[in-house]
Amino acid sequence: MRALLLIAPLLAFVLITFVMPIADMLFRSVENGIVSDILPRTSAAIKDWNSQGVDDLPHENVYRNLLVDLTIAVKRRTQTRVGSRLNYEAAGISSSFRRVGRGLRSFNTEPYSNYFIHQDENWGDTGYLEQLFSNPRISAALPSSASAFRTWQTDFSSDQIITPDDFVFVALASDLSTLANDKVSDLGIDSLRTAHADIDQLSTSSIKHMFIEFDKNWGDVNLWKTIKTFSPRYTDGYFLNAVDLKRGIDGVERRDQSERIYLVLFVRTAVMSLTITVLCILLGYPVAYLLAHLPLRKANLLLILVLLPFWTSLLVRTSAWKVLLQQEGVINDILVTIGLVDDAARLVMINNQFGTIVAMSHILLPFMILPLYSVMKTIPPSYIRAARSLGATPFTAFWRVYFPQSLPGIGAGSVLVFILAVGYYITPELVGGVKGTFISNRIAYHISSSLNWGLGAALGTLLLVAVLILYWVYDRIVGIDNVKLG
Amino acid sequence: MTESDNEFVCFKNVQKSYDGKILVVKDLNLSIGRGEFLTMLGPSGSGKTTCLLMLAGFETATHGQILLDGKTINNIPPHKRGIGMVFQNYALFPHMSVEENLSFPLEVRSMGRSMREQKVKHALDMVQMSEFATRRPSQLSGGQQQRIALARALVFEPELVLMDEPLGALDKQLREHMQFEIKHLHERLKVTVVYVTHDQTEALTMSDRVAVFDDGIIQQLASPDTLYEEPINSFVAQFVGENNTLTGVVEKIDKSSATVRLDSGDMISAMPVNIHKSGERTQVSIRPERVETDMKRLPEGGYTISAEVLEFIYMGDVFRTRLKVAGNDDFIVKSRNSPDQSRLTPGETIKIGWLPQDCRALDA
C-alpha cells in the first residue's frame, strides 16, 4: 500500500500524459464517428441497401434522409467534414459534398410541406407537432422525423416562424413511406393515417432525381458504396489502408499499384533497422571488448568518448552527417582532391538509404556498446585463461568460451537498437530523402500534415504490434531473462 | 631418478615486475621433481600466484628462464604448454554442460568422438561424478564443481597440473575432504602438481614439499615436518602453524646453544638458528604444544619460568590456555585432554617449562 502511494505521482503522470493519449490515438485507428454523427439518418437508412449492379441505386428514402442530414449539416457547417473524411477513401467525394451543400437551397422541397399542410392545417403548427412527437410511441415509429423536428426546434426555429422547414416534412415522408398500414393504424392518429394513405403521391417530386440532376455523381453507385462502407461507428478501413488494401466493390482487395506505399515502407523500415542493428553489432563489439579489458583509467576515457555523442544534440549530430556526406561535402571533397572520384561523378551519400543507415548507426551505436560492455565486464578473465590452459588457441578460446557468454549483451543491445531504429523519425526525415524514410515519417505526415489521424493511428498500431511480436519471438528464442543491461 | 626427473619444472633466476619498478618475484630458483606435489604457500601479495601464472604462460617472466622437462617455455603460448590448471573459482564454462566442459580440451586437440567420450567418462568416474554428466555447472554444488574442474584439468592427461587456491571457496569440512581426495588422485595418477594456497594446514597436509613465499622470495623450501619443526626464520615460524614468540637480545652464542636476555630481564637458553653474534636482537619461538604446565611431566634439563593464567579455553580434544609469560600476555599453551591433565583457573600463577631444543632463537 505504501509502495503504491510512493509511485502514485509518477503513475498518475504516466497515465495522464502517456498512456491515455496513446490509448486515445490507438482508438482513433478504428473509430469512425464522423459519417454516422453527421449523417445519422442516411447511415441508418442505407443499412438495408445492397447494390446488385451499376444501376441499383439506393432507395428514394435514402436520398430523402441525406437531404435532411445535409440540411442540418449545412446549418451546423459540418458537411465538409464528412466530405474530407470520405475523401480519404475515394478521392473526389469531398467536392460532391461541398457542391451539394451550397446547392441544397435550390432543391424544390415545397411539395412535401404542401402535401401535409393541404391535408390538415395542423401539420403547419409547431405546437401540434411537438405534442405529436412527445408521445414516445410515435417518436419511436417515426425516428427520422422526430429527431429532425427536435433539431429544427433547437437549431432552426425562431419566434417568428411557426411552420417547420420543409426538411422536417421530407423526413416525415420518408418515415411514413416505410411504415406498413397496420402499424400506422395502431398509432391511432387520424392525420397520420390520412397522410400515409396517399404518401406515394410524393414520388412525383423525387429527391433522388433532384440530387442526380444537380450533380450526376450522386447517381454513382460507387459513391454510395463508399458512404455505406464508412457509415458504421467502427471501421477496419484505416488498417486495410495501412497494409495497402481497400474495401472494394467485392470485399477486401489490393490497392492499385500506384497506391501501394505502406507495405513497402514497413518492409523497408524493418530491413534498414536490421541493417543498422547488424552494423552496430559489428562496430560496437570490438569497442565494448576493448572497454571491458583496458585498465580502468583508459577504459573510463574511452567510455567518455563513447558517451560523447549522447551529450550532443541529435539535430547537431544529424546535421554533421549532412555536412560530411553531401555531394559538396567534406568526404566528397577529399575523394575528389585525392583523385579517387571524378569531380563530375561525386558520390550520392545522403538523401538516400545509405545516408540514413550511416547516420542512424552512428547515433544508435552507444545503445549497443553500453549493454555489451556491462555484460563483458561480468565475464571473469579466468574463463579465457581456463580455455587457453586446456589447449585452445586465442581464437578458439574467444569463439567457444567468450563469445557465447557475451551473447546476452548482443541480445540486449540488438533489441534496444532495433526497437529504437524502427520508430526513429528525425534522422530519416533529415537525411533520408525519399528512398531512405521510415514508416514513422509517414505516420508523422498523417498526424501533422494530411490530418488523417485514423490512418496515422492505424500505422502506429501496426508498428507497435510488430515490435511486440518481435519482442515475443525474441523472448521465445533467446529468453528475455538472458538479456542483461548491466 | 635421473637429473631431468629431479628438475621436471625449473625456475632459473626468474624475476617479475609489473610496472618496471617493483619486483613481485625476486630471483626465483626452484626445481620441482617429476611426480612431486609442491605447494607454494604465502600471504597474498607474496608472489606465489605470479609464479604459477608464469608457469602457466599467462604472465611472462621479466628476467630468467622457466624450463619444463628440460625445455625453455618462456616463449611458448599457454595453449601449447599442455599444462592442466584448476582455478580458484573453478572457471567451468557456464554455457556448456559438465560433459562439454570435459570434452573441450579434447576437442581442441582434434580427438575423435568415441575417444573423447571414453576419456570424459573415465575422468568423470575418477571423481565419482558420472551421473552429473549432463548438468550445467550452475546446477552443481561448490564441491561438485570443484571435482569437475579437477576432472577437466586432468582429462587430457597433462604431466603437470597447476592449482590456484582450488579449495578456497569451500566450507571447512568439504575442504578437508577434498584435500585428501586431491592427494589420493595425485598418488594414483603420479602427475606433478604445483599447488598455490595461503592456508598452511592445507599445505602441510597435502604436499611433498612446501615453498614458503614472502616478499617475492622463497623463505624456506622443505618438507612439511621440517617446515613446521625447524623453521629457518621468524616469518616461516609465524606463518606456518601456531607460535609463541618472546623477544630479547642475544647474550652469549656458540654453535649449539645461545643465551637470550628477554625484554622482561629473564635469561633463557635456546637453539640458535639464524642469529650470529651476541648483542643481536632475536625472537625466540616456542610451539604451544611443546610447553608443559605440569612440572611432573617436564623431562630432565627443562627450563622453567613462572606464568600467570589469563584465560582457559576448553576445545574438546585440547585445552588452550592463554598465559602471561615474560611480559608477553598472548602466550598460548596447548595440552592434550587426558584424564590426568589439570585444568587451570584464570588468575593463578603457575610454573611452566620447555626443553631448550624446542626453543628456537630466530631473527627479529
Side-chain angles (χ1 to χ4, degrees):
Chain A
M1 189 60 211
R2 204 170 67 169
L4 202 65
L5 276 176
L6 284 170
I7 62 160
L10 178 64
L11 197 65
F13 179 78
V14 168
L15 273 177
I16 292 167
T17 63
F18 190 71
V19 176
M20 273 162 45
I22 287 181
D24 181 62
M25 276 317 283
L26 295 185
F27 178 64
R28 280 169 196 271
S29 62
V30 291
E31 193 256 11
N32 185 43
I34 289 185
V35 177
S36 53
D37 280 346
I38 297 177
L39 307 176
R41 298 165 195 84
T42 318
S43 302
I46 206 171
K47 259 187 202 140
D48 301 326
W49 174 68
N50 283 305
S51 177
Q52 303 300 321
V54 190
D55 299 325
D56 187 13
L57 283 170
H59 186 259
E60 165 73 16
N61 276 336
V62 176
Y63 284 90
R64 285 174 177 165
N65 279 304
L66 180 65
L67 179 119
V68 177
D69 285 335
L70 280 177
T71 311
I72 295 168
V74 167
K75 179 81 180 173
R76 291 174 174 169
R77 302 173 197 281
T78 51
Q79 93 276 17
T80 51
R81 283 178 54 204
V82 188
S84 24
R85 165 67 191 92
L86 290 173
N87 209 52
Y88 296 145
E89 311 304 336
I93 288 194
S94 149
S95 64
S96 294
F97 271 90
R98 223 177 16 251
R99 218 171 315 141
V100 84
R102 284 197 302 266
L104 220 48
R105 227 180 283 271
S106 68
F107 283 31
N108 178 23
T109 49
E110 237 167 76
Y112 286 82
S113 52
N114 287 345
Y115 169 79
F116 286 96
I117 295 167
H118 283 165
Q119 278 182 356
D120 188 337
E121 289 275 311
N122 281 334
W123 283 115
D125 178 20
T126 312
Y128 174 74
L129 286 169
E130 191 167 345
Q131 196 197 343
L132 191 71
F133 287 124
S134 64
N135 181 341
R137 275 181 62 222
I138 291 172
S139 353
L142 308 169
S144 281
S145 30
S147 68
F149 174 69
R150 292 211 183 89
T151 311
W152 176 81
Q153 277 189 307
T154 54
D155 290 13
F156 290 76
S157 81
S158 64
D159 291 342
Q160 283 81 38
I161 304 166
I162 49 154
T163 306
D165 285 342
D166 290 347
F167 76 86
V168 178
F169 295 102
V170 174
L172 201 53
S174 160
D175 279 340
L176 279 175
S177 66
T178 56
L179 280 181
N181 275 329
D182 50 338
K183 278 268 175 72
V184 182
S185 315
D186 284 352
L187 292 172
I189 308 285
D190 284 341
S191 60
L192 274 178
R193 215 173 3 239
T194 323
H196 181 255
D198 290 332
I199 199 75
D200 287 343
Q201 271 183 25
L202 279 173
S203 54
T204 50
S205 43
S206 163
I207 304 284
K208 186 174 180 175
H209 286 149
M210 292 180 210
F211 267 97
I212 296 170
E213 219 162 90
F214 180 78
D215 179 351
K216 65 176 179 354
N217 284 338
W218 291 104
D220 180 359
V221 170
N222 288 335
L223 182 150
W224 283 103
K225 276 185 170 164
T226 310
I227 295 179
K228 180 179 160 70
T229 307
F230 294 93
S231 59
R233 288 211 76 85
Y234 298 100
T235 177
D236 54 6
Y238 292 122
F239 277 102
L240 291 176
N241 195 349
V243 290
D244 292 341
L245 297 173
K246 64 177 175 186
R247 199 168 283 286
I249 314 294
D250 312 301
V252 177
E253 61 184 49
R254 294 198 69 180
R255 280 179 180 267
D256 297 337
Q257 191 71 45
S258 58
E259 291 178 338
R260 291 178 202 162
I261 48 172
Y262 298 115
L263 277 184
V264 177
L265 264 178
F266 271 116
V267 170
R268 183 200 290 167
T269 304
V271 169
M272 283 176 69
S273 297
L274 208 64
T275 312
I276 289 163
T277 309
V278 171
L279 209 58
C280 279
I281 296 174
L282 294 178
L283 294 173
Y285 197 93
V287 178
Y289 184 88
L290 200 62
L291 269 174
H293 292 88
L294 276 180
L296 197 64
R297 184 185 290 269
K298 285 181 191 165
N300 280 341
L301 190 72
L302 195 60
L303 194 64
I304 288 175
L305 292 179
V306 169
L307 288 174
L308 208 59
F310 266 147
W311 303 334
T312 324
S313 154
L314 181 64
L315 281 170
V316 171
R317 275 180 283 161
T318 308
S319 309
W321 279 111
K322 269 189 122 106
V323 173
L324 285 172
L325 293 177
Q326 60 186 283
Q327 279 195 287
E328 298 298 323
V330 178
I331 292 175
N332 265 314
D333 281 352
I334 292 173
L335 290 178
V336 169
T337 311
I338 62 175
L340 263 176
V341 169
D342 190 65
D343 198 12
R346 282 170 175 257
L347 301 174
V348 184
M349 293 185 290
I350 202 160
N351 294 333
N352 55 16
Q353 302 195 357
F354 181 82
T356 305
I357 288 172
V358 167
M360 280 184 60
S361 298
H362 169 243
I363 285 160
L364 295 175
L365 200 53
F367 293 101
M368 181 63 79
I369 292 177
L370 292 179
L372 267 176
Y373 167 60
S374 64
V375 168
M376 285 176 175
K377 245 175 59 167
T378 63
I379 303 174
S382 61
Y383 287 127
I384 283 285
R385 283 185 176 168
R388 299 289 308 277
S389 80
L390 293 170
T393 59
F395 177 76
T396 311
F398 168 79
W399 184 247
R400 296 274 318 270
V401 175
Y402 191 89
F403 183 75
Q405 293 188 65
S406 67
L407 277 177
I410 295 186
S414 301
V415 168
L416 213 57
V417 169
F418 186 81
I419 289 178
L420 281 172
V422 156
Y424 232 69
Y425 160 65
I426 292 184
T427 304
E429 183 76 18
L430 290 179
V431 300
V434 179
K435 288 268 179 201
T437 50
F438 281 13
I439 194 72
S440 48
N441 300 99
R442 204 64 202 170
I443 296 175
Y445 165 77
H446 282 305
I447 298 296
S448 59
S449 300
S450 82
L451 301 185
N452 188 354
W453 286 12
L455 181 55
L459 290 170
T461 308
L462 285 180
L463 190 61
L464 182 65
V465 169
V467 168
L468 288 177
I469 289 175
L470 274 175
Y471 185 83
W472 178 77
V473 168
Y474 185 89
D475 185 34
R476 294 309 296 274
I477 296 172
V478 183
I480 225 67
D481 298 339
N482 283 332
V483 168
K484 279 194 241 168
L485 286 174
Chain B
M1 248 190 206
T2 66
E3 183 67 15
S4 83
D5 279 346
N6 273 330
E7 294 187 350
F8 181 58
V9 177
C10 197
F11 288 87
K12 280 189 180 161
N13 307 104
V14 172
Q15 294 186 343
K16 174 69 186 176
S17 170
Y18 286 105
D19 55 3
K21 288 181 212 137
I22 302 158
L23 288 175
V24 276
V25 175
K26 300 169 186 163
D27 198 33
L28 178 76
N29 286 289
L30 175 62
S31 294
I32 303 166
R34 195 185 287 273
E36 190 179 7
F37 195 120
L38 181 118
T39 299
M40 294 178 172
L41 174 69
S44 53
S46 60
K48 58 186 193 306
T49 301
T50 306
C51 286
L52 197 77
L53 292 178
M54 283 194 287
L55 186 52
F58 298 123
E59 295 291 351
T60 50
T62 316
H63 180 78
Q65 259 190 317
I66 301 170
L67 293 100
L68 177 64
D69 208 6
K71 288 184 282 284
T72 307
I73 55 168
N74 286 43
N75 293 318
I76 297 177
H79 62 279
K80 290 189 180 149
R81 295 192 182 190
I83 300 175
M85 187 156 177
V86 181
F87 292 83
Q88 190 168 9
N89 56 2
Y90 321 130
L92 295 175
F93 307 138
H95 57 292
M96 297 183 190
S97 70
V98 164
E99 241 168 2
E100 288 163 341
N101 262 285
L102 260 66
S103 183
F104 182 83
L106 307 177
E107 273 172 53
V108 298
R109 286 174 170 76
S110 315
M111 197 177 276
R113 173 184 284 273
S114 58
M115 191 71 172
R116 280 202 319 253
E117 278 168 4
Q118 192 189 327
K119 291 212 174 204
V120 167
K121 189 179 174 307
H122 179 77
L124 283 175
D125 284 343
M126 188 173 69
V127 292
Q128 294 127 48
M129 289 289 291
S130 307
E131 65 257 53
F132 298 99
T134 53
R135 296 254 192 112
R136 287 286 167 115
S138 57
Q139 296 167 310
L140 300 177
S141 72
Q144 289 168 332
Q145 290 186 35
Q146 179 56 62
R147 284 158 194 259
I148 299 302
L150 209 56
R152 190 179 65 176
L154 292 168
V155 71
F156 60 102
E157 290 161 12
E159 284 190 90
L160 174 62
V161 178
L162 312 181
M163 303 191 186
D164 184 9
E165 310 217 9
L167 306 180
L170 302 181
D171 63 67
K172 187 169 178 287
Q173 220 164 0
L174 198 55
R175 196 158 62 218
E176 282 167 7
H177 180 78
M178 286 303 294
Q179 283 171 14
F180 290 112
E181 219 160 290
I182 292 176
K183 196 172 159 64
H184 293 153
L185 268 176
H186 166 249
E187 281 162 10
R188 218 167 67 218
L189 301 173
K190 301 191 167 50
V191 291
T192 312
V193 177
V194 178
Y195 192 99
V196 162
T197 183
H198 63 263
D199 181 337
Q200 41 101 5
T201 327
E202 212 166 279
L204 296 182
T205 325
M206 303 171 76
S207 324
D208 294 329
R209 281 194 301 162
V210 179
V212 181
F213 275 72
D214 186 46
D215 199 21
I217 289 169
I218 295 185
Q219 302 288 340
Q220 188 170 4
L221 173 64
S223 60
D225 53 341
T226 315
L227 200 66
Y228 185 78
E229 284 165 32
E230 296 164 23
I232 58 162
N233 61 32
S234 56
F235 174 80
V236 177
Q238 297 279 4
F239 196 76
V240 180
E242 210 171 359
N243 189 47
N244 291 311
T245 49
L246 300 170
T247 53
V249 178
V250 180
E251 194 76 0
K252 206 173 79 192
I253 180 168
D254 59 36
K255 271 219 158 93
S256 60
S257 98
T259 310
V260 176
R261 178 191 296 279
L262 297 179
D263 293 346
S264 61
D266 297 274
M267 298 285 277
I268 61 169
S269 95
M271 279 264 299
V273 180
N274 59 345
I275 51 170
H276 309 289
K277 54 181 192 293
S278 55
E280 213 178 324
R281 279 201 70 80
T282 180
Q283 275 190 14
V284 180
S285 142
I286 311 141
R287 295 288 181 196
E289 68 278 9
R290 296 294 168 95
V291 180
E292 196 53 75
T293 52
D294 186 350
M295 287 304 109
K296 290 194 291 288
R297 292 165 185 250
L298 187 67
E300 198 71 18
Y303 171 81
T304 57
I305 188 169
S306 68
E308 188 192 343
V309 180
L310 297 178
E311 202 177 3
F312 177 84
I313 303 163
Y314 177 83
M315 295 178 75
D317 54 345
V318 292
F319 300 151
R320 185 184 170 89
T321 318
R322 190 160 67 85
L323 305 167
K324 182 170 181 167
V325 177
N328 177 359
D329 57 5
D330 202 18
F331 194 99
I332 304 294
V333 175
K334 270 192 208 164
S335 33
R336 201 162 64 86
N337 182 2
S338 53
D340 57 341
Q341 190 66 262
S342 59
R343 302 183 183 192
L344 301 167
T345 41
E348 69 177 311
T349 304
I350 55 160
K351 284 271 177 204
I352 59 167
W354 58 74
L355 290 171
Q357 58 265 39
D358 290 332
C359 182
R360 297 169 67 82
L362 304 164
D363 57 306

